[in-house]
Amino acid sequence: MSQKIELTFVVGADQAGTRLDALLAEVSGQSRTTVSSWVKDGEVQLLDAKGRGVKAKASSKLLEGMTVQAAGTPPRDLTQIEAEQIDGFSIVYQDDDIVVVDKPTGVAAHPSMGWHGPTVVGALKHAGVDIATSGAAERQGIVHRLDVGTSGLMVVTKNERAYSVMKNAFKDRTVTKVYHTLVQGLPDPLKGTIDAPIGRHPGSEWKFAVNEDGKTAITHYEVLEAFGPASLVEVHLETGRTHQIRVHFSALRHPCTGDLTYGADPTLSAHLGLTRQWLHAHRLGFTHPTSGEQVEFESSYTPDLQYALDTLRDGNF
């Protein structure tokens, strides 16, 4: 457990007008994300020049003479990767340059501040896979990610050259990323493209939404099967924004079944036995970073997704 940081300081003339999170991060030596969490958790008090309490927000603009009092805990050391054996995790392919894995639900790509569960990085360490790339220690070899609640294929690089080549491949959109998702209702048209920018949700720290100020996001889709209350859809991602498929189909009023965060019907989700979004990284194809050959991998649905699909196919709804 990290030792708590306690500090008190008065805002000087040259610091006036600075945001609370920015100045607190500078003084404490912690990240703005960390000190913002302190503010949110009530671990930061703000007093005006007369000693009266002022509501503290991360975005508060500080005035000369204000007093900032903080008592927060720094984040855990993310660089200490623990080896983890994870049920349902498997290595689909590996050579000297890459390792392709099939990630189960409930597993993050790598350690992060808000996540204390299992990770792909930890599972690979348990499997004895040696990875040596640049960048943050906790993200060794990670060139793309899947949401914790999304299962399926990921490629992780094992050396610096492969890391650089694959990072550029994802950036240049030359990687084939095919997902299958079960969405509510029946999208109209049955085949189409969703081109809508995605950014932070204005009302939630953890959600995203379609908004004008967001980043370009393009999703191509085609309905494979229709069941009435839901449809099985194949999705080709042109871009790779966080929660892209979930946000885009939610914006169309056809949220992924089981995805309560983005508006899925809880009754239908429960009937299908879903405790997470029905979303699976089904196929992954790319040019091998060393051989230059085109390689492609495919992943079967996990048991919970297959059960939901079988329930619909059997007409049990």
Side-chain angles (χ1 to χ4, degrees):
M1 179 71 70
S2 300
Q3 187 173 0
K4 212 164 198 179
I5 294 175
E6 298 184 6
L7 52 86
T8 299
F9 62 91
V10 177
V11 178
D14 59 334
Q15 299 167 324
T18 306
R19 283 174 54 118
L20 173 59
D21 56 356
L23 185 56
L24 187 53
E26 180 182 342
V27 174
S28 68
Q30 301 298 309
S31 69
R32 286 177 69 163
T33 300
T34 295
V35 300
S36 292
S37 70
W38 294 355
V39 176
K40 183 179 179 181
D41 294 341
E43 295 176 308
V44 178
Q45 281 72 50
L46 194 56
L47 308 175
D48 66 16
K50 294 184 178 180
R52 296 171 299 194
V54 178
K55 183 175 177 58
K57 295 182 179 179
S59 59
S60 296
K61 292 295 181 65
L62 300 174
L63 302 175
E64 182 181 358
M66 278 186 164
T67 298
V68 180
Q69 299 175 334
T73 304
R76 63 193 176 98
D77 185 0
L78 298 179
T79 65
Q80 299 301 309
I81 308 298
E82 295 185 8
E84 303 168 276
Q85 183 172 8
I86 300 172
D87 290 340
F89 179 90
S90 64
I91 293 176
V92 177
Y93 170 86
Q94 74 167 313
D95 56 29
D96 292 339
D97 302 292
I98 62 172
V99 54
V100 178
V101 305
D102 203 341
K103 183 187 86 68
T105 184
V107 179
H110 57 75
S112 64
M113 280 302 303
W115 179 249
H116 298 279
T119 65
V120 169
V121 174
L124 288 174
K125 185 172 183 178
H126 180 272
V129 177
D130 186 28
I131 296 175
T133 61
S134 62
E138 70 273 16
R139 301 187 184 188
Q140 286 288 294
I142 299 295
V143 290
H144 71 125
R145 295 178 294 180
L146 295 180
D147 293 344
V148 170
T150 299
S151 53
L153 296 170
M154 281 183 61
V155 58
V156 181
T157 55
K158 299 172 71 173
N159 56 58
E160 188 61 33
R161 184 184 179 283
Y163 180 76
S164 177
V165 172
M166 290 306 301
K167 285 287 285 186
N168 287 331
F170 278 97
K171 180 181 179 181
D172 295 339
R173 305 178 186 178
T174 61
V175 177
T176 300
K177 298 174 288 184
V178 181
Y179 293 73
H180 282 185
T181 182
L182 192 66
V183 303
Q184 290 182 196
L186 181 64
D188 182 19
L190 299 180
K191 181 178 182 179
T193 296
I194 308 168
D195 186 349
I198 292 176
R200 290 281 179 182
H201 192 290
S204 172
E205 184 179 353
W206 305 106
K207 290 174 62 177
F208 291 80
V210 169
N211 62 56
E212 294 181 356
D213 298 326
K215 296 181 179 179
T216 300
I218 301 173
T219 302
H220 307 286
Y221 74 89
E222 181 176 4
V223 174
L224 300 179
E225 292 183 69
F227 306 102
S231 302
L232 180 64
V233 178
E234 181 166 287
V235 176
H236 292 249
L237 286 186
E238 187 170 324
T239 54
R241 306 304 174 201
T242 302
H243 297 183
Q244 180 171 322
I245 295 172
R246 300 165 65 189
V247 170
H248 270 172
F249 280 98
S250 177
L252 291 184
R253 301 186 185 277
H254 295 290
C256 301
T257 55
D259 193 359
L260 304 187
T261 299
Y262 287 104
D265 178 2
T267 301
L268 176 61
S269 301
H271 182 73
L272 296 177
L274 293 171
T275 57
R276 53 105 168 190
Q277 65 265 18
W278 203 113
L279 181 57
H280 188 70
H282 178 59
R283 198 159 68 245
L284 184 65
F286 52 88
T287 301
H288 191 282
T290 299
S291 71
E293 297 180 1
Q294 188 65 24
V295 294
E296 186 169 275
F297 306 93
E298 190 169 300
S299 167
S300 300
Y301 303 148
T302 56
D304 59 331
L305 301 188
Q306 190 64 55
Y307 173 85
L309 193 57
D310 291 342
T311 298
L312 288 167
R313 284 173 174 164
D314 293 341
N316 296 326
F317 50 84

